[in-house]
Amino acid sequence: KAGVTQTPRYLIKTRGQQVTLSCSPISGHRSVSWYQQTPGQGLQFLFEYFSETQRNKGNFPGRFSGRQFSNSRSEMNVSTLELGDSALYLCASSYRQGMNTEAFFGQGTRLTVV
Amino acid sequence: DQQVKQNSPSLSVQEGRISILNCDYTNSMFDYFLWYKKYPAEGPTFLISISSIKDKNEDGRFTVFLNKSAKHLSLHIVPSQPGDSAVYFCAASGRSGGSYIPTFGRGTSLIVHP
């Protein structure tokens, strides 16, 4: 079956702009989590959505937000971009909610803020 | 403050030998642990997991050991193969303020020489 699809793969934005990233989970998976990966901080959890509701949230400012649609597709939005937001953003889907389950990751969206 | 630490950024092993990747954690609330493998230009893929009620879990060539008193877990790969060359992430999850927050280590790059 098709894996987790993230679009776009690469993105360049200017400071102060906003950006929306998209994630299509594996068919049948209802949980979508988002992560930020940077060389300095490693992989950091942003938030998790399950059945269109945010269930868990990491320690990121309110500029980072997300939503999930009825078909389980999810979008992540970052407003007022800062240089430090440059990172690989990974989305992971799983059948059940929570970390106690195998998650399948997409290839990520590489965001560069200039 | 890193709650999950992988103190060895890299590890080099000969094909056929054992690879041992280590991970230490500080948060006693963590109760589920996972290992992910990541190849370049791909998202992480789930490898193996262990619940805090166990001290060992085995899946083919991969075995994870958990020492709760030492807050330490390790991943053993026997025998190591060149295709195992990748970055390995240790992850832990547990309740934090009502939410289930997954925390990742910064990864260990394993190179298996033919």
Side-chain angles (χ1 to χ4, degrees), chain A residues 24-80:
Chain A
S24 293
I26 290 173
S27 177
H29 285 191
R30 295 162 62 193
S31 169
V32 174
S33 297
W34 288 89
Y35 296 83
Q36 181 195 66
Q37 185 178 18
T38 59
Q41 296 296 323
L43 206 64
Q44 292 187 290
F45 172 75
L46 280 152
F47 29 66
E48 178 192 15
Y49 285 85
F50 184 84
S51 294
E52 302 178 63
T53 302
Q54 187 181 92
R55 306 290 179 150
N56 293 296
K57 189 177 188 306
N59 188 26
F60 276 82
R63 299 186 297 109
F64 292 81
S65 63
R67 58 177 174 168
Q68 187 179 34
F69 302 95
S70 58
N71 62 358
S72 293
R73 190 177 72 85
S74 176
E75 287 181 347
M76 190 193 93
N77 186 278
V78 187
S79 63
T80 319

Side-chain angles (χ1 to χ4, degrees), chain B residues 14-17 19 61 77 79-85 110-113:
Chain B
Q14 204 66 33
E15 181 179 7
R17 301 288 185 108
S19 293
R61 298 185 296 113
I77 306 174
S80 302
Q81 300 173 354
D84 296 329
S85 298
L110 173 66
I111 299 171
V112 181
H113 298 281

Side-chain angles (χ1 to χ4, degrees), chain A residues 60 109 113:
Chain A
F60 276 82
T109 294
V113 182

